[in-house]
Structures are given as structure tokens and as C-alpha cells.
Amino acid sequence: MASQYTKLQSIDVDDNLLLPYQVSTQKQYKPQNKILSYFYRIKAYIIKKWKILLILTFVLLLIAGVILIPVLVLRYKTSSLSDQCDEYGEEIINSANKGTEAYSRLSRLVTLFPGRLSGSEQLENAIDWIQDMMIGDGFDLVKTDDVEVTHWVRGDESATILQPYHRKMNMLGLGGSIAGNVTAEVLVVSSFEELDMVKDQVMGKIVLFNAIFTNYSSTVQYRSGGASAAAKYGGVAALVRSITPYSLGTPHTGVMFYQNGINKIPTAAITLEDADLIQNLVWLNQTVIVNLYMEAQTMETNAISRNVMAQINGSTYPDEVVVIGGHTDSWDVAQGAMDDGGGIIVAWEALRLIKSLGIIPMRTIRVVGWTNEENGAAGGENYAQLYTNETFFSIESDIGVTQPLGFNVMASDKTISDLQLIAEKVLSPIKATSIVEGEVGTDNGFLVSNGKPGAQLITDESKYFWYHHTAGDAMDKMDSSQMNQCVAAMATMALCISNWAGPLN
């Protein structure tokens, strides 16, 4: 009996002494280590939950496909549209974000040569300086083309309220205006339609167009056409509420035009504050008498100015040219930092950056500083007469070089769609991805009118018209990091278009 008990003790209880509920017909495996234990647990879980896991795997693959497939398709499309656009774009943007010479060069330009109005010594000295600097940059070609331009001179000027009290107003004569010394009662209107309604009251009056700024293209008509509209009904002078939504007592100048067959009268811009002051006095039944004194004159002989340009020759299609640029001239009262020193400097720096990175475009890329944009646009017209046939595409910058948003494009629907793909893929790091059909610049507009596709760099212009055509257009309004991003946007788009596979229209 004792030997039998000893034998039972030698048996492994865990292996042989099973309770009823532990009895199973399945073969039992004892894992040899923890790794195998985990493996068998996972295997058992998969066997038990295989339907749920299969559905989950399908959902994850579907989500991945929705995300990844468009990215892969976009990468394929951009590479098929433009050779090495992705790689070069990334390199350009990374380099520009580290810093460019745009801000420092603009500062030197506007400090040394402010008030670059057509016909002035300041403008021609600025063009000489730009040309010398471009030669120093080592571009493949640097040159200028002579352009005959309007030569208007401001002279002394003033505007003063004489009645119901004496008050000197801030004013700026409008470019192209004649001289005059007029003292007369002021008639205030808010639109051309209102002028037509009170036409019998206009004779012998100074007409003030107190039109509230809505947008530039709509409101600027009172600056450009106000003088002839007033003179048509016998007005002796015209004043215009400055074309701006904001003012700190700053008048805004700009070009105006006389209509053939209508008497020429002097015209000037006054501040928002003074325009509203006169309006309120009239509403209070006060007779407002103003003296407008102007010595302005357009010289009988036009001046000679120049378009200045530099280029990197294309490796494959050197006779097809991608044009980028802005205008070199500015109004006489301004440093011209935003309008448009920043535009020409950013385009110039975009070309210099491409060269510094050792990138050779397939098509020639040319930067152009157009002359006389502000009061005649002879530079843009002259350039188009000479170079339309060789132009492949053009990009202008002339609404400030603040945060870049994308490009307005005048081209076929397909070209706009293809450029949108490029922007979404390549320019997303700087958020300049908006490609929409819209107006191009004044200067490259001549190329577009001749049938060539073109674009304009679009930026955040929320404050642009605060300083436009004023003495406040100066370097303190500029931001170096935003200028660097404009350089990146301009250089990247120019390079991608220069490497375009096939024609653009």
C-alpha cells in the first residue's frame, strides 16, 4: 500500500489530475516560452475575430488609397507637366526661406533713388544702378532698350479752404494735370451719375468727387476721368477723394486723362478727412470756397528712359522666353518701395536665386524692369512690340510683395488647371497655391493682349492701397520674410514654366 502511494506522488498532478470541467477533447499544448505564448494567443484571437479584422483591414486600405493615390497621381502629373519642377521647387523654396538679398537691395534702391518718376534724373540713375548690379550678378545677358516716355513735372501746389474759415489742405496734383490758380465754390458729388443730375449747378464751380472706396478698379475712374467729367458741364477745377480705404491725412496721387474736345482743367487729390470735412460743411448749408494752385506741366518734348533686363539662357529652348518683372518707376512723392520697387527687386532676386543654385532652365528666363508704368505704360508697350513673338509666358508683380497667395492667370482653361496642379504640389510650403483666372499687370498685359499667356503674382493686398501713390510708400512698410516668400513663389513658378513639357496657351 505504501509503495502504491509513493507511485501516485511521483505523477505530475497538473498533467493527470483533471477536474471534470477541465476535460477537453482538444489536444492541449503547453507553450515553451513567453514568445510562443503570445504567438498562440494572437493566433487564437485572429481565428476567433477574423471577419472583423478583415473588414477593418479593408477600411484601412481604402483610407490609405484615398489619401495616397491622389498624392501619387499628383506627383506623376506634375513631373509629366514640368521636368524636375518638384525637386527644383523644393530647393528654391528652402533656399529662399533661409534668406535672400531682396530686402537689402530694395532698401538701397529706394534710399538712393526715391521719386523715380518718368523723365526724372532719379529714374535714370536707378536704372544705371540696376544695370551695373545685374552685370555684377553674372547673368548671361544684361541690356537696356530705350523708350520714349511722358515727362510731367509737378511744381509747387496747394489747396486751401478760404470760406467758411481758413484751412490749408493736404493735396497732391494728379499726374498729367495742367497748371491753374482757381478760386471757386465747391460742389460735392459722390458719383458721375449724381454729377449728371446736378449738371445745371456745375458752371464755374470746383467739383469734388467724394466717392467712397469700394475697390481700386471701380473707384479709380473718378481720379482718371473726373476732370473731363466736371469740365463737360463748365467746372473750373476738379478735386478727388483719394483712392484709398484708409488715411492718416495722406493724399494719393496717380495718373489722370483728358478727353479730346473737352476743356482741360486742373485736378488734384485731397485726403479722406478733408473730403468729408467739405461734404459735412455743405450738408450744414455752408458755402465752401477753395483756392487750388498748381504749377504742373507736361513737357513739350518726351524724355528718353529705358527698360532694363537680364536673363539666364535656356539649355533646350533658348529662343523661348519666360518673362518675370515689375516696373522701375514710381511717383515723385514716394520712395516707391511697395509700388513697385518691391516688384522689380523680387523678380530680379528670383532670377539671381535660380542662378546661385546652379539651376539651368530649359527655356530662357528674363527679368525686366519696365519703365513709365505709372503715367503712360510706354515701357510695357515698347517691350511687347519688340519681344512678343519669343515670349513663352510672363509674370508681373505690381500689387505689393507681402504674403504671396498665388497667381492670377490669363490663359486657356487647361493651362490654368495645369498650373493649379503645380501650385498645389510645389508651392504648398509657402501657401501660394491659388491659381485663378484674373487680370495680369499693366506691363505684361501688352504681351497678353498680343495672345501670349501670362500671370500676376497675387499677395495679401489688405493694406496695399493704404500707402499706394503716397509719401508713405516707404521701406518701413516692407517685411523681409514676406519678400523672401515672394521670391520663392516667383522663382519656382518661373522655373517650372521654363521646364514645361510642350506649349502653353
Side-chain angles (χ1 to χ4, degrees):
M1 190 71 181
S3 61
Q4 187 178 2
Y5 177 76
T6 301
K7 184 178 180 181
L8 286 173
Q9 282 187 317
S10 66
I11 297 174
D12 189 332
V13 175
D14 288 339
D15 287 341
N16 299 280
L17 188 60
L18 301 177
L19 295 175
Y21 66 85
Q22 293 176 303
V23 177
S24 173
T25 59
Q26 298 180 359
K27 187 175 180 180
Q28 302 296 312
Y29 294 94
K30 182 178 180 180
Q32 300 300 312
N33 53 50
K34 289 185 177 180
I35 295 177
L36 285 174
S37 176
Y38 290 142
F39 172 76
Y40 288 121
R41 288 179 184 178
I42 292 171
K43 180 180 178 182
Y45 183 82
I46 292 173
I47 292 172
K48 184 178 180 180
K49 303 288 188 179
W50 71 272
K51 291 183 178 179
I52 295 176
L53 292 174
L54 182 63
I55 294 172
L56 182 60
T57 301
F58 176 77
V59 171
L60 291 174
L61 289 173
L62 183 62
I63 293 173
V66 170
I67 296 173
L68 293 177
I69 290 175
V71 172
L72 294 174
V73 169
L74 182 60
R75 176 176 290 275
Y76 169 75
K77 283 187 175 180
T78 54
S79 62
S80 65
L81 289 172
S82 176
D83 183 59
Q84 294 183 279
C85 174
D86 293 3
E87 300 92 327
Y88 286 150
E90 182 178 5
E91 187 177 2
I92 288 169
I93 291 171
N94 288 341
S95 180
N97 283 336
K98 292 176 183 177
T100 74
E101 295 184 15
Y103 185 89
S104 63
R105 285 193 170 187
L106 177 62
S107 180
R108 279 182 280 171
L109 172 67
V110 303
T111 301
L112 293 170
F113 314 106
R116 303 177 301 278
L117 188 61
S118 296
S120 70
E121 184 178 357
Q122 287 291 83
L123 174 59
E124 298 314 305
N125 288 342
I127 293 170
D128 287 340
W129 180 82
I130 291 171
Q131 183 179 18
D132 289 343
M133 293 285 286
M134 285 178 167
I135 292 172
D137 289 336
F139 293 118
D140 294 327
L141 174 68
V142 177
K143 71 169 188 172
T144 62
D145 289 336
D146 287 352
V147 181
E148 187 174 312
V149 300
T150 300
H151 188 191
W152 178 81
V153 179
R154 180 176 302 278
D156 290 337
E157 57 186 13
S158 65
T160 308
I161 297 175
L162 302 178
Q163 186 180 321
Y165 43 68
H166 188 277
R167 177 181 173 83
K168 186 175 181 179
M169 295 186 288
N170 291 333
M171 58 82 72
L172 285 174
L174 298 181
S177 175
I178 65 168
N181 186 6
V182 177
T183 300
E185 182 181 346
V186 177
L187 174 69
V188 183
V189 295
S190 61
S191 66
F192 291 136
E193 291 74 19
E194 185 177 354
L195 178 68
D196 292 337
M197 292 172 63
V198 297
K199 60 185 180 182
D200 294 339
Q201 304 175 36
V202 175
M203 182 65 66
K205 305 282 181 61
I206 296 174
V207 177
L208 167 59
F209 292 92
N210 191 28
I212 305 300
F213 184 94
T214 52
N215 57 65
Y216 186 72
S217 59
S218 297
T219 317
V220 75
Q221 61 182 320
Y222 297 103
R223 188 192 76 200
S224 60
S228 290
K232 181 173 64 174
Y233 296 130
V236 293
L239 297 175
V240 179
R241 178 190 180 97
S242 286
I243 312 304
T244 179
Y246 178 81
S247 175
L248 286 174
T250 48
H252 295 234
T253 189
V255 71
M256 55 77 57
F257 304 99
Y258 291 114
Q259 290 184 24
N260 292 332
I262 297 178
N263 186 42
K264 295 181 180 180
I265 59 176
T267 180
I270 61 175
T271 68
L272 274 57
E273 294 88 343
D274 285 332
D276 286 340
L277 173 64
I278 293 173
Q279 177 75 81
N280 290 337
L281 285 169
V282 171
W283 280 341
L284 293 172
N285 297 318
Q286 300 292 307
T287 298
V288 180
I289 296 177
V290 164
N291 171 255
L292 176 64
Y293 174 78
M294 296 176 62
E295 295 179 352
Q297 59 178 317
T298 299
M299 300 301 181
E300 292 183 3
T301 304
N302 287 341
I304 300 298
S305 186
R306 293 160 292 164
N307 288 333
V308 59
M309 61 197 79
Q311 68 187 42
I312 300 174
N313 294 335
S315 61
T316 309
Y317 310 106
D319 295 332
E320 297 181 4
V321 181
V322 176
V323 180
I324 57 177
H327 65 85
T328 311
D329 61 309
S330 73
W331 281 101
D332 53 324
V333 296
Q335 287 184 26
M338 291 188 2
D339 186 23
D340 185 36
I344 174 57
I345 291 291
V346 159
W348 173 13
E349 183 64 9
L351 190 69
R352 194 198 67 80
L353 179 59
I354 291 171
K355 183 180 186 303
S356 70
L357 292 173
I359 299 171
I360 301 177
M362 294 176 65
R363 292 176 177 83
T364 296
I365 302 179
R366 177 183 299 156
V367 58
V368 181
W370 288 286
T371 192
N372 183 234
E373 188 275 345
E374 294 293 4
N375 62 337
E381 184 176 16
N382 178 271
Y383 183 88
Q385 289 173 355
L386 296 174
Y387 301 111
T388 291
N389 289 341
E390 68 183 32
T391 301
F392 184 74
F393 196 88
S394 65
I395 307 174
E396 183 173 352
S397 172
D398 190 19
I399 54 170
V401 284
T402 54
Q403 180 64 45
L405 304 177
F407 296 86
N408 275 355
V409 179
M410 291 292 289
S412 68
D413 290 343
K414 183 180 186 308
T415 293
I416 293 174
S417 177
D418 289 344
L419 291 176
Q420 181 67 66
L421 289 174
I422 292 290
E424 289 175 355
K425 177 62 179 66
V426 186
L427 294 178
S428 57
I430 55 174
K431 301 179 181 179
T433 57
S434 175
I435 303 293
V436 296
E437 183 177 5
E439 292 183 356
V440 297
T442 298
D443 290 310
N444 75 329
F446 290 98
L447 294 169
V448 172
S449 295
N450 286 348
K452 297 295 182 175
Q456 178 166 215
L457 176 66
I458 299 303
T459 59
D460 176 8
E461 56 182 283
S462 57
K463 294 183 180 179
Y464 177 72
F465 291 107
W466 291 15
Y467 314 111
H468 182 247
H469 294 182
T470 74
D473 179 3
M475 277 305 297
D476 65 306
K477 313 305 187 303
M478 311 307 294
D479 181 278
S480 60
S481 63
Q482 291 179 347
M483 289 189 69
N484 291 339
Q485 291 193 13
C486 287
V487 171
M490 183 78 86
T492 299
M493 187 58 76
L495 191 280
C496 289
I497 291 174
S498 73
N499 284 7
W500 205 260
L504 282 178
N505 50 52

